[in-house]
Amino acid sequence: MIYLDYSATTPVNQDVLHSFEEASLRYFGNPNSLHKLGVDAKNLIDKSTHQIAQILNVKDNEIIYTSGSSESNNLAIKGICQEYQNRGKHIITTELEHSSIYGPLNYLMDQGFEVSFVSLMPDGKVDLENLKSLMREDTILVSINAVNSELGIVQPIEKIVEIIKEFPKCHFHVDMTQMIGKRKVDCSDIDLVSFSAHKFYGLKGIGVLIKKEKVELEPLIHGGKSTTKYRSGTPALPLIVSMAKALRLVNESVLKNEEEVKKKNDFIREKLSTYEYVRINSPEDSLPHILNISILGVKPETMLHALEEKNIYVSTQSACSSSHSESKAVLAVTHDKERAQSSIRISLSHLTTEEELEKFLEGFEECYQKLTSLMRRK
């Protein structure tokens, strides 16, 4: 099997899985209980929280545990807007966000909120001058992802922070789901940050929303004691412990891993760019873990299943996207409907081997020749 869909989810690290198993068996007490088993469980959660906070340069009490990035995004967006709607109902975002951003935004528009889309530069980065022009006194939230999940475009988060600081009533939310675990990050100047463990070799079902101390939220889930007042429910101790382990492990080698992935990306980018009907959609300075291409005239699901028959796994759009006929992100950047209707995403890892890439290219060649020859006959 050749797995090239790491941006959708990653295989669980064996050491992380061991941490989950050990915590499940040894610390089965409810962290909310007052007896010794409960206290021991809570202490272990506190230790894990401290590790996560140190790596991301935030405070322990700014960590909120969720079921994953989709819940974190919903809590951030709905929570801010419901808490601060007396200050205004204007939100700014981009056309490069995940569906778990657009979902709550559509919900809020039905509640009377206004959403503006900031313009993009030719390389897909936010037009900072346009962002400045969109900011208003009633703007209470800007939500922009750090890395687009389809094209790998990396946004200038630090520059965006500086713009938003000029508007003290506005909060900045960053979906870092595709960034954390791939690059060193510092979340100290961002109001709200979302991420999920299964993107960096952790288990599914656990994520985080970082919420700065000065920020308040209206919770999505009410009732019951937990690690914070912002997300009720019995804390998922084994998942929390395993996520801290996963984050710690990837952080130890994150720079080395990115260098390895960049070489692999450059290699297949160069090979694929020689094909007549292939267009490279990911800009040169995108996160190297993601390479988005279009095969003109070939439906993405057709290429996906052709590769799948050879035991090669890639994706079309984001794994959580609804099944539209075209990629909204590719269209927003390339302004080319044909490319948007024929794009596939190849996502890499430091675990990807040179042998796997060679076999992928062999399989791609066969599928490409077969599918484009059928197209040329029409």
Side-chain angles (χ1 to χ4, degrees), residues 96 123-126 144-148 151-157 160 178-179 183 258 283 285-288:
L96 298 177
D123 62 359
K125 288 183 172 59
V126 166
I144 295 174
N145 60 25
V147 176
N148 171 259
L151 295 126
I153 295 165
V154 182
Q155 296 296 344
I157 297 300
I160 296 171
Q178 295 292 349
M179 174 71 89
R183 281 189 180 169
E258 184 176 1
D285 63 349
S286 291
L287 194 75

Side-chain angles (χ1 to χ4, degrees), residues 287-350:
L287 194 75
H289 303 72
I290 296 173
L291 181 63
N292 189 293
I293 68 170
S294 293
I295 304 99
L296 302 182
V298 178
K299 291 182 179 179
E301 59 270 21
T302 303
M303 176 58 82
L304 182 149
H305 292 307
L307 290 169
E308 185 181 15
E309 289 179 3
K310 298 180 180 300
N311 217 13
I312 299 170
Y313 297 89
V314 297
S315 70
T316 64
Q317 303 186 46
S318 165
C320 297
S321 297
S322 55
S323 55
H324 294 306
S325 60
E326 62 189 36
S327 165
K328 182 178 179 180
V330 173
L331 184 61
V333 174
T334 66
H335 307 290
D336 187 323
K337 193 163 187 176
E338 186 178 10
R339 286 167 75 164
Q341 290 175 336
S342 57
S343 68
I344 64 171
R345 181 185 68 183
I346 302 156
S347 46
L348 307 168
S349 163
H350 64 282

Side-chain angles (χ1 to χ4, degrees), residues 53-305:
Q54 280 194 314
I55 291 171
L56 302 177
N57 197 23
V58 298
K59 297 178 181 178
D60 295 13
N61 64 358
E62 294 176 338
I63 302 286
I64 303 170
Y65 293 110
T66 68
S67 62
S69 291
S70 290
E71 183 186 336
S72 295
N73 288 337
N74 273 262
L75 176 56
I77 293 169
K78 293 178 182 176
I80 284 290
C81 291
Q82 291 171 355
E83 180 69 28
Y84 295 103
Q85 59 184 308
N86 62 319
R87 297 182 181 180
K89 290 193 170 186
H90 182 231
I91 307 164
I92 299 173
T93 190
T94 78
E95 292 183 296
L96 298 177
E97 304 303 312
H98 189 265
S99 57
S100 62
I101 299 293
Y102 297 131
L105 289 180
N106 288 335
Y107 167 82
L108 288 166
M109 283 193 286
D110 288 341
Q111 311 301 312
F113 285 81
E114 178 187 355
V115 177
S116 297
F117 289 85
V118 63
S119 300
L120 302 174
M121 303 296 284
D123 62 359
K125 288 183 172 59
V126 166
D127 183 332
L128 299 175
E129 292 304 314
N130 182 244
L131 176 60
K132 289 177 186 177
S133 72
L134 290 176
M135 296 292 296
R136 309 185 325 210
E137 284 301 314
D138 64 337
T139 305
I140 59 170
L141 178 67
V142 175
S143 182
I144 295 174
N145 60 25
V147 176
N148 171 259
S149 61
E150 287 189 56
L151 295 126
I153 295 165
V154 182
Q155 296 296 344
I157 297 300
E158 292 180 1
K159 293 179 181 178
I160 296 171
V161 166
E162 292 306 310
I163 292 171
I164 296 172
K165 278 183 179 178
E166 299 298 315
F167 295 82
K169 292 181 182 179
C170 183
H171 298 93
F172 186 29
H173 168 240
V174 180
D175 181 354
M176 284 202 178
T177 305
Q178 295 292 349
M179 174 71 89
I180 288 178
K182 300 181 178 76
R183 281 189 180 169
K184 293 269 187 184
V185 297
D186 184 335
C187 300
S188 57
D189 284 337
I190 307 171
D191 296 314
L192 300 141
V193 174
S194 306
F195 64 92
S196 191
H198 75 97
K199 302 293 187 180
F200 48 86
Y201 313 95
L203 289 152
K204 298 174 180 66
I206 184 68
V208 161
L209 175 65
I210 296 171
K211 180 201 69 67
K212 302 318 293 282
E213 276 184 317
K214 62 184 176 67
V215 177
E216 282 298 321
L217 292 176
E218 176 66 26
L220 294 178
I221 302 172
H222 298 83
K225 187 179 177 183
S226 190
T227 56
T228 76
K229 68 180 182 179
Y230 301 101
R231 208 277 193 177
S232 297
T234 303
L237 181 147
L239 287 171
I240 292 169
V241 170
S242 67
M243 176 166 61
K245 180 68 169 284
L247 185 59
R248 191 167 72 251
L249 289 175
V250 295
N251 195 62
E252 289 171 355
S253 56
V254 66
L255 297 176
K256 175 176 174 289
N257 289 346
E258 184 176 1
E259 288 178 7
E260 291 181 11
V261 173
K262 178 69 166 64
K263 291 176 184 176
K264 295 164 185 173
N265 183 301
D266 290 345
F267 173 69
I268 59 171
R269 178 187 283 262
E270 181 182 356
K271 297 291 185 182
L272 294 175
S273 64
T274 63
Y275 287 87
E276 180 182 359
Y277 297 106
V278 169
R279 301 292 182 269
I280 306 293
N281 298 320
S282 295
E284 288 282 351
D285 63 349
S286 291
L287 194 75
H289 303 72
I290 296 173
L291 181 63
N292 189 293
I293 68 170
S294 293
I295 304 99
L296 302 182
V298 178
K299 291 182 179 179
E301 59 270 21
T302 303
M303 176 58 82
L304 182 149
H305 292 307

